[in-house]
Amino acid sequence: AERLTQERSRDYMNARRVSKEYEAITRTLNKSAPSVPPTGLSDEQKQIETWKTYINWERSNPLKVEDPALIGRRVMFAYEQSLLCLGHHPDIWFEAALYLQDTAKILQEKGDVEI
């Protein structure tokens, strides 16, 4: 029972750490911004950089998940959320497409998915 408690405690502390990191990274994201064509304003650039920081954070696998499919779903969720606000920014679309292509290749090599 003590071993199980220690294991759960470790999982809890990891989730707590990741939750705090998530809050710090996404605090300045404006998730309700409308998707408009790029204007080049400094506020827009800050949002783009913040979204990219969040996406790269998800790509770094902060939860230390071993399932590549789960990591892929988490990263694609981050891309999808960013595209709700940055739908007119082709570089985000391109990055998402490249990520999907790379992830599909990795999963295919592992035999987890057939393309």
Side-chain angles (χ1 to χ4, degrees):
E2 187 174 320
R3 185 176 60 83
L4 182 62
T5 303
Q6 287 177 346
E7 189 175 303
R8 291 294 177 205
S9 177
R10 186 175 39 246
D11 291 343
Y12 168 76
M13 294 306 287
N14 186 37
R16 185 174 167 192
R17 176 189 56 81
V18 170
S19 176
K20 286 184 180 188
E21 288 177 16
Y22 172 82
E23 289 296 324
I25 290 172
T26 61
R27 183 178 300 127
T28 59
L29 282 178
N30 182 0
K31 295 179 181 178
S32 62
S35 181
V36 295
T39 60
L41 297 174
S42 65
D43 287 345
E44 180 184 48
Q45 292 303 320
K46 287 178 189 173
Q47 283 298 302
I48 292 170
E49 288 306 313
T50 306
W51 277 111
K52 287 184 177 184
T53 300
Y54 168 53
I55 291 166
N56 288 332
W57 180 76
E58 283 291 355
R59 289 178 87 156
S60 73
N61 189 13
L63 288 172
K64 308 293 185 243
V65 178
E66 295 177 8
D67 180 10
L70 178 59
I71 297 166
R73 285 194 303 272
R74 289 184 59 90
V75 173
M76 280 314 301
F77 179 77
Y79 273 116
E80 290 168 359
Q81 292 298 301
S82 71
L83 286 168
L84 291 174
C85 301
L86 305 174
H88 294 280
H89 292 77
D91 55 321
I92 305 291
W93 284 100
F94 184 70
E95 287 177 23
L98 282 179
Y99 179 78
L100 274 177
Q101 186 178 15
D102 293 343
T103 302
K105 192 179 299 181
I106 290 168
L107 290 175
Q108 187 178 23
E109 287 170 1
K110 290 187 173 206
D112 289 348
V113 71
E114 286 188 29
I115 297 177

